[in-house]
Amino acid sequence: MNRWMAATTAALLTIGLAACTDPGAGDTATEPAAITWPEPAAKLDGVKLTVWAAQNSNTVPKKVIEGFQRATGASVQVVTIPDPYEQGIQTKVATGDKPDLAFWQPTASMLTAINAKTNLQPLTGAPWLDRLDPKLRDITGLLGDVRYAALVTSPAVEGVYYNREVFAANGVTATPKNFEELITLAKTLKGKGITPFHEMGADRWATQWWVQVQLADAARSGLWDRINTGQEKFTDPTILGAIKKYQELIKEGLFNSDIKTAKFEDQGTALLNGKAAMVVQVNSFFGQLQAKADTATLNSRIGFFPIAPSGNVGTFIPDQSNALVAFKTGDAKREAAARQLLAYWMGPGYQDFLTDRNTVSLETGVADPAGVPQALLDVHAAVGSSAGSMQALAVANPDLYLNLADMIAGTMTPEQVAKATQDQFEQLAKAAGYLK
Amino acid sequence: MTSAIGTLTKARALPQAAPGTITRRTHPLWFLLPAYALLLVFFVLPTAYQFVYAFTDWSGFKASINPVGVENLTQLASDGTLFRALRITVVYAVLVAIFQNAFGFGLAVLLERDTLVNRICRTFFVVPVLMSALAVGYVFQALLKGTGLLADTTWTIVVVALIHAWKWMGLAMLIYLAGLKTIPEDVLEAARIDGASRWRAFWAIRVPLLAPAVTFNVATALLGSMNGFDIVQATTGGGPARTTELLNIFIYRTFGQGLFAQATTMSLVLFLLVTLMAFPVIYLLRRREEVQ
């Protein structure tokens, strides 16, 4: 009896040990030469694909999937991963759970974060690359020289969304030409009893845009390279100065009075009904406006201009809803089918997709749908000449936004924000093998 | 593990057990195996692994795992975030222990008599115990939206502790009720004959006799809420300004960033802290029982 017990225990322990080793390890790299691209409409009866999407991107692929299922006979299921999306996916992938495709921020830092070399299929030689606008083809989606992400919509740009009617009613005829003019305009508007800017301290994530747009020129002259190599820090004057400026503007009362408790939803409502004149945001904010108003209303009411200290330069930040990655699942048939879905998306299905989403085309041969709002066209026009954001150019993506939200809530000083962000950046960069 | 089973098998060889111990054997010992197997896979092994992975550079960024010594620990110790999260967690646990026991005790005394109304009321107070913690969190988040109660950097921790206590007070009530019911009638009768008022009998006889129930309730509430996550995550997500960010929420965030080794190190710290707290707390409460 005793011996049996000991033997069983030993067996269980061994099984347990084996079961608990890193499930993310052990995958072998696919040779780039072996990648094939099936015909977009080839038959795939009986193949089931899973696409992970976030709460704000789960309706993006609807039309594409309908078309793909009709054309190929495959069945595609979209699974919504709750926010915080990236965190949820990293946790799942770490435990060995992978979809066939997922929406994913196509930046080097986020491709590193999901261990693209081990977990993702390289998209080398994708058939749609030649059709893409050359200015956008290599703007993102690459880690080193290998392409891991397919950009499907125009990447997000940080800039100022403004209410045209509020501007007109207060005699503002031209949009600001640089950051200084933006602040002068804000002070004028405040003098007339209007809330110049709206910020969402409770939902937190947009707080970082205010710091990043101030860094656009520095980003162009290599700020993030210096941060990546440890030559410069968040605590040095460039970034700390931008954080201080942001706090100064808040203290001057240029933002909504409920800045600490306001949420993303409130921001859209405030700009649409003119309660606030301007919002510094990215494309997903415009997505919210589109859900609240039709194109005609948006065209007459909402405008966009990029901003930076030196002029109208945007800060480019591809986000999770702009791109997809295909996972190495170990099932060759499903891996090929996942690539086929991407080829269909950016091929025969692209026009339908754009019309359904009412968004700008990335391919030179496919025209923009007729109903794309003017603000989105303005945003897209800013992409080509924009500067890179922290997410696009830094090797790690620290929680700058969380620290800034704490600063807005009054529990952190700008110096503490810079220090906490720098510490976390170093921790993440070291874990990823940078910054020895 | 092996030693525990060894002790169990040894017990069979010793027929002269302490008086009062049940020596009669109704089931073969190997019936314990499925339970022990589950405990092993889902509790013992992960706990043992904590002691390994906490000293590696395991992350989501690369496939290899290398030992790094105590680097994770020194880094955490130098960074104020861990201590802040620990402080918040301890404050939360103490608040929950106080509220949950106060509510549970009050309810048990109020609903002690077995009337129809009391029975119905007891059932209602146990319902939150059976509810999903996340559902409780989301319901309160919706209820308190716009009141500012979840936006105050000082008092929100008290609000979430109250919600936690509200959810679990039904269980504390049941334990206290069981305690009250087991107090022998003759002791109370003796007190009455000696001329003790109801008030006096309550505080001098019944409350001290509840000591074992207090031990159980305080220990489970305190140590259970040290591991709190679900209710706070659903209600505030750690906000406002991370003033309700319990250690487990911090661990969850760190893990989500792909820093698995650092997250494991924090879990290890929490595990050691709970263990270190459990021994003195239970020891003191037990001593209190004996004194009575």
Side-chain angles (χ1 to χ4, degrees):
Chain A
M1 192 68 179
N2 223 337
R3 205 168 296 160
W4 275 108
M5 291 269 186
T8 321
T9 314
L12 274 171
L13 271 169
T14 322
I15 294 167
L17 275 167
C20 286
T21 46
D22 184 11
D27 297 85
T28 48
T30 320
E31 282 296 309
I35 302 167
T36 54
W37 289 92
E39 276 305 304
K43 279 291 160 202
L44 285 170
D45 290 302
V47 178
K48 284 197 177 108
L49 292 177
T50 308
V51 181
W52 283 353
Q55 278 154 335
N56 73 353
S57 55
N58 58 6
T59 54
V60 172
K62 192 169 157 278
K63 259 283 181 304
V64 176
I65 288 174
E66 280 171 17
F68 185 70
Q69 294 187 138
R70 248 197 327 273
T72 65
S75 78
V76 183
Q77 199 197 358
V78 176
V79 178
T80 306
I81 307 294
D83 287 335
Y85 177 73
E86 281 79 7
Q87 199 169 322
I89 295 221
Q90 279 176 294
T91 312
K92 278 174 179 290
V93 170
T95 54
D97 191 6
K98 288 179 199 166
D100 296 293
L101 293 153
F103 281 89
W104 193 253
Q105 188 175 310
T107 57
S109 66
M110 290 309 284
L111 289 171
T112 306
I114 200 163
N115 195 1
K117 284 178 190 137
T118 308
N119 294 321
L120 302 183
Q121 296 191 49
L123 304 178
T124 314
W128 64 85
L129 291 177
D130 296 338
R131 300 195 293 267
L132 284 180
D133 180 344
K135 278 209 303 280
L136 304 175
R137 187 185 304 143
D138 296 329
I139 196 166
T140 192
L142 300 159
L143 181 61
D145 299 330
V146 185
R147 185 180 307 275
Y148 287 105
L151 196 65
V152 294
T153 49
S154 179
V157 175
E158 297 161 16
V160 184
Y161 288 87
Y162 67 99
N163 188 310
R164 290 175 191 273
E165 291 172 358
V166 174
F167 271 33
N170 291 282
V172 185
T173 46
T175 54
K177 292 276 163 286
N178 55 49
F179 195 77
E180 215 39 62
E181 279 188 39
L182 174 73
I183 303 309
T184 313
L185 169 65
K187 287 178 181 161
T188 316
L189 287 174
K190 185 176 157 59
K192 294 182 178 178
I194 290 157
T195 304
F197 302 120
H198 193 283
E199 186 59 278
M200 44 177 233
D203 269 345
R204 312 189 286 204
W205 52 265
T207 55
Q208 57 179 318
W209 311 147
W210 268 96
V211 172
Q212 295 216 29
V213 296
Q214 295 181 64
L215 298 173
D217 303 300
R220 279 183 159 179
S221 56
L223 168 71
W224 298 108
D225 288 336
R226 295 193 297 276
I227 297 274
N228 287 342
T229 49
Q231 293 165 34
E232 194 169 339
K233 292 179 157 56
F234 283 79
T235 46
D236 288 334
T238 311
I239 300 182
L240 179 59
I243 298 171
K244 280 183 170 162
K245 181 81 187 172
Y246 181 31
Q247 192 191 39
E248 189 188 304
L249 298 175
I250 297 170
K251 284 194 170 157
E252 270 181 64
L254 297 180
F255 287 82
N256 45 315
S257 54
D258 61 348
I259 183 165
K260 291 181 189 178
T261 52
K263 297 202 162 208
F264 182 48
E265 280 290 315
D266 306 330
Q267 233 179 359
T269 312
L271 189 67
L272 267 179
N273 66 20
K275 252 172 58 189
M278 293 175 272
V279 169
V280 173
Q281 259 290 12
V282 292
N283 297 36
S284 56
F285 174 69
F286 197 74
Q288 187 201 139
L289 297 181
Q290 283 181 297
K292 286 186 155 87
D294 56 33
T295 302
T297 315
L298 290 176
N299 279 342
S300 71
R301 215 176 276 177
I302 306 294
F304 173 86
F305 58 90
I307 203 81
S310 69
N312 290 117
V313 179
T315 299
F316 131 88
I317 172 164
D319 70 28
Q320 149 272 123
S321 68
N322 294 134
L324 283 102
V325 292
F327 282 82
K328 282 183 197 163
T329 54
D331 179 336
K333 201 167 153 195
R334 273 183 24 233
E335 285 183 4
R339 294 196 298 274
Q340 186 179 328
L341 173 54
L342 290 178
Y344 178 87
W345 193 321
M346 297 306 290
Y350 200 52
Q351 184 73 67
D352 268 1
F353 165 68
L354 295 178
T355 313
D356 175 53
R357 299 302 301 171
N358 211 2
T359 190
V360 192
S361 170
L362 302 180
E363 296 190 1
T364 42
V366 180
D368 294 337
V372 178
Q374 188 55 43
L376 264 192
L377 294 171
D378 293 344
V379 173
H380 184 69
V383 174
S385 62
S386 59
S389 59
M390 172 177 81
Q391 282 81 353
L393 299 178
V395 291
N397 182 8
D399 294 327
L400 172 63
Y401 72 100
L402 275 182
N403 298 323
L404 289 170
D406 285 6
M407 179 181 85
I408 293 175
T411 58
M412 273 175 123
T413 64
E415 286 77 12
Q416 288 169 330
V417 169
K419 166 107 180 26
T421 312
Q422 175 67 27
D423 287 351
Q424 196 198 2
F425 174 81
E426 284 175 17
Q427 189 182 35
L428 287 164
K430 274 181 192 153
Y434 301 96
L435 267 187
K436 286 298 167 203
Chain B
M1 203 57 234
T2 334
S3 70
I5 291 175
T7 326
L8 284 170
T9 36
K10 234 177 269 164
R12 194 171 42 150
L14 297 166
Q16 310 95 327
T21 315
I22 300 170
T23 46
R24 171 185 63 189
R25 305 188 37 111
T26 52
H27 305 298
L29 262 183
W30 62 266
F31 275 23
L32 281 171
L33 273 184
Y36 272 114
L38 289 176
L39 195 68
L40 178 76
V41 171
F42 293 107
F43 182 75
V44 179
L45 275 177
T47 308
Y49 269 102
Q50 276 192 141
F51 287 88
V52 178
Y53 283 129
F55 304 99
T56 67
D57 65 351
W58 182 29
S59 78
F61 306 118
K62 53 187 185 295
S64 65
I65 301 174
N66 310 301
V68 293
V70 292
E71 194 187 293
N72 294 329
L73 272 174
T74 48
Q75 195 193 3
L76 277 173
S78 69
D79 181 359
T81 327
L82 175 74
F83 292 111
R84 185 179 63 175
L86 275 177
R87 199 191 62 228
I88 293 170
T89 310
V90 173
V91 167
Y92 178 73
V94 170
L95 286 174
V96 169
I98 294 171
F99 293 144
Q100 190 175 319
N101 281 284
F103 297 165
F105 185 74
L107 285 173
V109 173
L110 267 175
L111 305 176
E112 190 194 347
R113 286 172 55 213
D114 286 327
T115 63
L116 179 68
V117 177
N118 281 359
R119 282 167 201 261
I120 294 172
C121 285
R122 283 181 210 160
T123 314
F124 274 105
F125 285 116
V126 177
V127 170
V129 177
L130 307 175
M131 279 167 70
S132 146
L134 288 176
V136 170
Y138 289 123
V139 166
F140 274 98
Q141 189 206 40
L143 281 175
L144 300 177
K145 206 178 207 168
T147 60
L149 279 173
L150 295 179
D152 191 299
T153 49
T154 314
W155 295 104
T156 304
I157 186 80
V158 181
V159 176
V160 286
L162 278 168
I163 296 171
H164 190 128
W166 175 84
K167 185 194 176 334
W168 290 104
M169 67 183 179
L171 186 70
M173 174 191 77
L174 282 187
I175 312 276
Y176 281 124
L177 268 177
L180 287 171
K181 298 273 176 205
T182 53
I183 295 172
E185 190 51 38
D186 48 357
V187 179
L188 293 169
E189 208 180 318
R192 267 200 298 278
I193 293 165
D194 286 347
S197 65
R198 279 173 68 98
W199 184 252
R200 183 80 204 274
F202 179 76
W203 288 110
I205 310 282
R206 306 218 296 167
V207 172
L209 283 173
L210 279 179
V214 174
T215 305
F216 181 84
N217 271 336
V218 171
T220 49
L222 187 72
L223 303 173
S225 50
M226 287 291 292
N227 286 317
F229 173 74
D230 39 20
I231 292 176
V232 184
Q233 177 70 17
T235 316
T236 65
R242 286 184 269 179
T243 50
T244 60
E245 192 173 273
L246 302 181
L247 190 57
N248 269 336
I249 297 181
F250 184 43
I251 292 171
Y252 168 73
R253 261 194 331 110
T254 309
F255 191 83
Q257 281 163 342
L259 297 170
F260 306 147
Q262 281 86 345
T264 311
T265 312
M266 292 177 211
S267 310
L268 183 64
V269 171
L270 180 64
F271 173 80
L272 294 175
L273 182 73
V274 172
T275 316
L276 285 178
M277 275 177 70
F279 285 110
V281 164
I282 294 174
Y283 175 75
L284 284 174
L285 289 168
R286 282 276 183 200
R287 266 232 333 231
R288 228 185 109 255
E289 286 176 31
E290 284 162 19
V291 168
Q292 302 300 335

